[in-house]
PDB file of all heavy atoms in Angstrom:
ATOM      1  N   ILE A 221      -8.574 -22.869  24.290  1.00 80.00           N
ATOM      2  CA  ILE A 221      -9.655 -23.384  25.239  1.00 80.00           C
ATOM      3  C   ILE A 221      -9.349 -24.805  25.452  1.00 80.00           C
ATOM      4  O   ILE A 221      -9.229 -25.576  24.478  1.00 80.00           O
ATOM      5  CB  ILE A 221     -11.012 -22.996  24.793  1.00 80.00           C
ATOM      6  CG1 ILE A 221     -12.095 -23.487  25.775  1.00 80.00           C
ATOM      7  CG2 ILE A 221     -11.306 -23.389  23.469  1.00 80.00           C
ATOM      8  CD1 ILE A 221     -13.377 -22.842  25.652  1.00 80.00           C
ATOM      9  N   GLY A 238     -23.264 -30.312  12.528  1.00 96.00           N
ATOM     10  CA  GLY A 238     -24.003 -31.112  11.351  1.00 96.00           C
ATOM     11  C   GLY A 238     -25.578 -31.099  11.724  1.00 96.00           C
ATOM     12  O   GLY A 238     -26.307 -30.903  10.921  1.00 96.00           O
ATOM     13  N   ILE A 254     -20.592 -28.333  28.253  1.00 97.00           N
ATOM     14  CA  ILE A 254     -19.565 -29.292  28.396  1.00 97.00           C
ATOM     15  C   ILE A 254     -19.193 -29.442  29.914  1.00 97.00           C
ATOM     16  O   ILE A 254     -19.008 -28.365  30.532  1.00 97.00           O
ATOM     17  CB  ILE A 254     -18.321 -28.847  27.612  1.00 97.00           C
ATOM     18  CG1 ILE A 254     -18.671 -28.878  26.086  1.00 97.00           C
ATOM     19  CG2 ILE A 254     -17.193 -29.854  27.947  1.00 97.00           C
ATOM     20  CD1 ILE A 254     -17.449 -28.360  25.177  1.00 97.00           C
ATOM     21  N   HIS A 280     -29.267 -23.943  35.057  1.00 98.00           N
ATOM     22  CA  HIS A 280     -27.946 -24.417  35.383  1.00 98.00           C
ATOM     23  C   HIS A 280     -27.323 -23.789  36.645  1.00 98.00           C
ATOM     24  O   HIS A 280     -26.322 -23.006  36.555  1.00 98.00           O
ATOM     25  CB  HIS A 280     -26.965 -24.207  34.233  1.00 98.00           C
ATOM     26  CG  HIS A 280     -27.019 -22.881  33.581  1.00 98.00           C
ATOM     27  ND1 HIS A 280     -27.908 -22.527  32.828  1.00 98.00           N
ATOM     28  CD2 HIS A 280     -26.192 -21.751  33.735  1.00 98.00           C
ATOM     29  CE1 HIS A 280     -27.891 -21.191  32.471  1.00 98.00           C
ATOM     30  NE2 HIS A 280     -26.748 -20.704  33.044  1.00 98.00           N
ATOM     31  N   ASN A 282     -25.599 -22.251  39.836  1.00 97.00           N
ATOM     32  CA  ASN A 282     -24.249 -22.427  40.390  1.00 97.00           C
ATOM     33  C   ASN A 282     -23.271 -22.983  39.274  1.00 97.00           C
ATOM     34  O   ASN A 282     -22.246 -23.605  39.788  1.00 97.00           O
ATOM     35  CB  ASN A 282     -24.201 -23.261  41.638  1.00 97.00           C
ATOM     36  CG  ASN A 282     -25.142 -22.639  42.721  1.00 97.00           C
ATOM     37  OD1 ASN A 282     -25.126 -21.491  42.854  1.00 97.00           O
ATOM     38  ND2 ASN A 282     -25.929 -23.513  43.314  1.00 97.00           N
ATOM     39  N   LYS A 284     -23.517 -25.547  37.452  1.00 98.00           N
ATOM     40  CA  LYS A 284     -23.374 -27.017  37.651  1.00 98.00           C
ATOM     41  C   LYS A 284     -24.713 -27.639  36.985  1.00 98.00           C
ATOM     42  O   LYS A 284     -25.680 -26.949  36.914  1.00 98.00           O
ATOM     43  CB  LYS A 284     -23.443 -27.382  39.062  1.00 98.00           C
ATOM     44  CG  LYS A 284     -22.091 -27.238  39.748  1.00 98.00           C
ATOM     45  CD  LYS A 284     -22.192 -27.576  41.237  1.00 98.00           C
ATOM     46  CE  LYS A 284     -20.879 -27.638  42.012  1.00 98.00           C
ATOM     47  NZ  LYS A 284     -20.095 -28.960  41.682  1.00 98.00           N
ATOM     48  N   THR A 293     -19.727 -23.779  27.438  1.00 98.00           N
ATOM     49  CA  THR A 293     -20.970 -24.057  26.824  1.00 98.00           C
ATOM     50  C   THR A 293     -20.636 -23.784  25.250  1.00 98.00           C
ATOM     51  O   THR A 293     -19.628 -23.205  24.905  1.00 98.00           O
ATOM     52  CB  THR A 293     -21.984 -22.896  27.213  1.00 98.00           C
ATOM     53  OG1 THR A 293     -21.357 -21.641  27.256  1.00 98.00           O
ATOM     54  CG2 THR A 293     -22.499 -23.262  28.590  1.00 98.00           C
ATOM     55  N   HIS A 297     -23.867 -21.324  14.790  1.00 97.00           N
ATOM     56  CA  HIS A 297     -24.499 -20.193  14.016  1.00 97.00           C
ATOM     57  C   HIS A 297     -24.557 -20.795  12.523  1.00 97.00           C
ATOM     58  O   HIS A 297     -23.749 -20.594  11.752  1.00 97.00           O
ATOM     59  CB  HIS A 297     -23.611 -18.892  14.046  1.00 97.00           C
ATOM     60  CG  HIS A 297     -23.903 -18.131  15.211  1.00 97.00           C
ATOM     61  ND1 HIS A 297     -23.248 -16.957  15.413  1.00 97.00           N
ATOM     62  CD2 HIS A 297     -24.733 -18.220  16.234  1.00 97.00           C
ATOM     63  CE1 HIS A 297     -23.653 -16.284  16.470  1.00 97.00           C
ATOM     64  NE2 HIS A 297     -24.545 -17.140  17.014  1.00 97.00           N
ATOM     65  N   ASN A 299     -26.652 -20.505  10.032  1.00 95.00           N
ATOM     66  CA  ASN A 299     -27.067 -19.866   8.670  1.00 95.00           C
ATOM     67  C   ASN A 299     -26.047 -18.949   8.173  1.00 95.00           C
ATOM     68  O   ASN A 299     -25.550 -18.043   8.866  1.00 95.00           O
ATOM     69  CB  ASN A 299     -28.383 -19.112   9.008  1.00 95.00           C
ATOM     70  CG  ASN A 299     -29.456 -20.027   9.346  1.00 95.00           C
ATOM     71  OD1 ASN A 299     -29.989 -20.788   8.457  1.00 95.00           O
ATOM     72  ND2 ASN A 299     -30.048 -20.192  10.592  1.00 95.00           N
ATOM     73  N   PRO A 320     -25.150 -15.053  35.937  1.00 98.00           N
ATOM     74  CA  PRO A 320     -24.502 -15.307  37.134  1.00 98.00           C
ATOM     75  C   PRO A 320     -24.173 -16.931  37.361  1.00 98.00           C
ATOM     76  O   PRO A 320     -23.197 -17.177  38.040  1.00 98.00           O
ATOM     77  CB  PRO A 320     -25.355 -14.772  38.316  1.00 98.00           C
ATOM     78  CG  PRO A 320     -26.750 -14.770  37.631  1.00 98.00           C
ATOM     79  CD  PRO A 320     -26.657 -14.523  36.256  1.00 98.00           C
ATOM     80  N   GLU A 359     -10.256 -32.507  12.583  1.00 58.00           N
ATOM     81  CA  GLU A 359      -9.340 -33.444  13.101  1.00 58.00           C
ATOM     82  C   GLU A 359      -9.898 -34.443  14.024  1.00 58.00           C
ATOM     83  O   GLU A 359      -9.197 -35.266  14.607  1.00 58.00           O
ATOM     84  CB  GLU A 359      -8.310 -32.635  13.908  1.00 58.00           C
ATOM     85  CG  GLU A 359      -7.394 -31.831  13.201  1.00 58.00           C
ATOM     86  CD  GLU A 359      -6.501 -30.954  14.046  1.00 58.00           C
ATOM     87  OE1 GLU A 359      -6.229 -31.269  15.137  1.00 58.00           O
ATOM     88  OE2 GLU A 359      -6.069 -29.837  13.535  1.00 58.00           O
TER      89      GLU A 359
END
Side-chain angles (χ1 to χ4, degrees):
I221 178 163
I254 298 181
H280 47 283
N282 302 315
K284 282 175 169 285
T293 46
H297 278 183
N299 290 291
E359 291 171 24

